[in-house]
Amino acid sequence: MESYITLSFLNDFIFCPRSIYFHQLYGSFAETVYKQSPQYKGTAAHETIDERTYSTSAHILQGMEVYSEQYNICGKIDVFDSLKGRLTERKREVKTIYDGYVFQVYAQCFALREMGYAVKEIVIHDLVHNKNYPIPLPENDAAMLAKFEQLIADIQTFDLETTPFTPLLSKCQNCIYNQLCDKSLC
């Protein structure tokens, strides 16, 4: 039986495939075991979405569970304005638009469309700077769509025991699991 992929795994897998293993392993432990300041700030930035207090307008969907059968991905959207067809992923602070950010909104877009919603526009919103970054729709960026689909295939075939892994110091230094990982360079 094939299990589904959660939205957060897309970005996590790009950062380090092993981080998904540690997230699953330590996810039920007290957050203080593995979370650091950036993760707490990110959680705080999503409070209005998680509590569904971002908006009281009926056409603003917030924190809604979505699932894409085509890509076998599930998770929650941040905000979708059903009148404008605008999907918004909120990030505490955006320094770079990473591929993982784009792939997360692609997955949300596909899931919303499968659920019957018309997604016409995608933005990533930087909360610290109150700035929106438009993201091309998947059908308008063939290269990114191909990379997205390759990522899904890579996640589905990844095996922690047999897939070759080369740690990178720049990533290990920023990994919340570096103290727990037997491959960490820190």
Side-chain angles (χ1 to χ4, degrees):
M1 181 175 111
E2 184 178 0
S3 62
Y4 61 85
I5 299 168
T6 63
L7 288 169
S8 63
F9 283 7
L10 300 175
N11 197 40
D12 293 348
F13 190 87
I14 292 169
F15 178 76
C16 176
R18 296 176 63 81
S19 70
I20 295 171
Y21 166 77
F22 288 112
H23 183 74
Q24 296 294 353
L25 183 63
Y26 292 99
S28 62
F29 284 52
E31 292 178 344
T32 55
V33 171
Y34 61 91
K35 275 194 173 182
Q36 295 174 5
S37 178
Q39 287 75 34
Y40 286 114
K41 289 177 181 176
T43 299
H46 277 91
E47 281 179 358
T48 59
I49 300 302
D50 295 337
E51 296 169 5
R52 296 187 175 156
T53 58
Y54 171 78
S55 174
T56 57
S57 298
H59 69 279
I60 302 293
L61 308 177
Q62 50 194 327
M64 183 175 81
E65 295 275 348
V66 295
Y67 176 75
S68 168
E69 186 174 346
Q70 177 182 2
Y71 292 106
N72 202 32
I73 297 176
C74 74
K76 289 183 180 181
I77 62 164
D78 280 355
V79 180
F80 180 66
D81 182 328
S82 63
L83 293 180
K84 294 180 181 177
R86 180 184 224 186
L87 173 62
T88 303
E89 173 69 17
R90 295 162 30 113
K91 300 289 184 190
R92 183 182 174 280
E93 184 174 14
V94 176
K95 295 177 182 170
T96 301
I97 301 294
Y98 294 104
D99 286 356
Y101 293 179
V102 175
F103 299 154
Q104 284 179 313
V105 291
Y106 276 11
Q108 293 171 25
C109 174
F110 288 123
L112 283 167
R113 286 177 174 172
E114 286 181 35
M115 295 169 70
Y117 294 99
V119 179
K120 301 173 189 171
E121 173 184 12
I122 300 173
V123 297
I124 293 177
H125 180 74
D126 177 327
L127 293 166
V128 169
H129 301 102
N130 194 28
K131 184 175 179 183
N132 285 330
Y133 297 90
I135 304 298
L137 293 168
E139 62 271 16
N140 294 335
D141 192 336
M144 282 302 279
L145 178 57
K147 285 173 70 174
F148 168 77
E149 290 180 336
Q150 184 60 56
L151 174 64
I152 300 299
D154 291 346
I155 292 172
Q156 290 171 336
T157 59
F158 182 80
D159 183 322
L160 187 66
E161 299 297 322
T162 61
T163 305
F165 175 75
T166 304
L168 298 172
L169 183 59
S170 62
K171 290 188 176 188
C172 289
Q173 288 173 329
N174 293 305
C175 181
I176 63 173
Y177 303 112
N178 67 20
Q179 304 270 331
L180 309 168
C181 181
D182 62 329
K183 302 281 187 183
S184 177
L185 297 176
C186 295

